[in-house]
Amino acid sequence: MKANVQKKKITGNGFLLLITIALFVVMYVAGMIVFADKGFAKPQMFLNLFVSNAGLLVIACGLTIVMITGGIDISVGSVTALVCMVLADLMENKGVNAHAAVLVALLIGVAFGIVQGFLVAYLDIQPFIVTLAGMFFGRGLTAIISTDMISIKNELFLKWANYRFYIPAYIPPTVVIALIVVILIAVLLKYRKFGRKLYAIGGSRQSALMMGLNVKKTIFNAYVLDGFLAGLGGFLFCLNS
């Protein structure tokens, strides 16, 4: 009986993941063979996959939390762009120090999460409509701040961006932050009460209500965390750019 349950679990929850991992390994090995003369087989080339996508990993974690509840957030791209533009504008045009600029950027993401979470959870507006409005609002604010590219020359920010850990290949702090976030979110979803609430709501909101869960508060918190991670992802994108 236990063997059958375990087999079903592997087939249902891990089959697509196993296929994805297998395809990645096959394609990467093929790349190592075909482009061996261009250094594709070097460890640094593999680490560059994380270097280029550190911000995307963090944003994906936030979207995962929201989507588990049965919701969606299509505004994260605009939030990321707004965060990057605000960071650059504050440091280069307003003379704000790097620490304060990063704090403001993270608060922007949290603000989007609070507003959108309130509209979705407590006013029961469809997540697609709410986040679509958030997407256009973020784009509009970004265009109002500046329509031109702003190069960041702040010394402290550049010091953060150029710092490297060597293992022996190098990885920037953005990768370390992204991996920490991934681990924390994985632990949160699998082992913490909040994660179990998210899965319960995504499985059946009515059943979650009957179990006594505070569905509205949980969904609201999910969007707030999603907004924070979108802001953090925007910060990491700036560091990598």
Side-chain angles (χ1 to χ4, degrees):
M1 182 67 178
K2 291 184 178 179
N4 291 335
V5 173
Q6 184 67 21
K7 183 178 179 180
K8 183 178 180 181
K9 182 179 180 181
I10 294 175
T11 302
N13 298 335
F15 184 63
L16 292 178
L17 178 61
L18 290 174
I19 291 178
T20 303
I21 294 174
L23 286 175
F24 173 80
V25 171
V26 170
M27 293 177 66
Y28 194 82
V29 170
M32 292 172 63
I33 296 173
V34 175
F35 302 106
D37 58 329
K38 298 181 179 180
F40 203 89
K42 294 181 179 179
Q44 186 60 55
M45 182 61 68
F46 178 78
L47 291 175
N48 285 343
L49 296 175
F50 295 95
V51 174
S52 303
N53 298 292
L56 189 61
L57 281 173
V58 173
I59 295 172
C61 287
L63 280 174
T64 299
I65 293 172
V66 168
M67 294 179 70
I68 287 175
T69 66
I72 193 171
D73 185 0
I74 60 174
S75 69
V76 290
S78 296
V79 173
T80 300
L82 178 61
V83 165
C84 291
M85 184 61 74
V86 169
L87 273 173
D89 182 65
L90 288 177
M91 288 187 288
E92 299 305 314
N93 298 332
K94 303 297 190 301
V96 178
N97 65 71
H99 294 97
V102 172
L103 179 60
V104 171
L106 295 178
L107 290 177
I108 288 174
V110 173
F112 268 81
I114 290 174
V115 173
Q116 294 184 154
F118 178 79
L119 294 175
V120 172
Y122 292 101
L123 298 187
D124 202 26
I125 304 176
Q126 288 295 322
F128 182 84
I129 301 300
V130 172
T131 56
L132 179 66
M135 180 185 73
F136 287 118
F137 184 70
R139 285 185 178 182
L141 286 179
T142 304
I144 288 174
I145 295 173
S146 178
T147 56
D148 299 321
M149 184 180 69
I150 302 176
S151 299
I152 298 178
K153 301 176 182 178
N154 182 279
E155 292 184 3
L156 179 58
F157 193 87
L158 292 177
K159 184 178 179 180
W160 293 343
N162 294 325
Y163 190 83
R164 296 291 185 269
F165 297 102
Y166 292 90
I167 55 170
Y170 73 85
I171 57 171
T174 54
V175 175
V176 177
I177 295 173
L179 293 178
I180 291 174
V181 170
V182 170
I183 293 171
L184 290 177
I185 295 301
V187 172
L188 176 69
L189 294 177
K190 189 171 180 62
Y191 298 107
R192 306 304 297 173
K193 185 185 296 183
F194 179 68
R196 292 193 290 269
K197 289 180 180 179
L198 295 176
Y199 282 109
I201 294 170
S204 174
R205 185 172 300 191
Q206 188 62 36
S207 297
L209 286 170
M210 294 176 66
M211 287 189 294
L213 299 182
N214 192 332
V215 173
K216 292 183 178 180
K217 182 180 179 180
T218 303
I219 293 177
F220 174 77
N221 290 337
Y223 275 91
V224 173
L225 184 54
D226 171 49
F228 170 76
L229 292 177
L232 180 59
F235 168 60
L236 297 185
F237 268 117
C238 282
L239 284 178
N240 280 337
S241 61

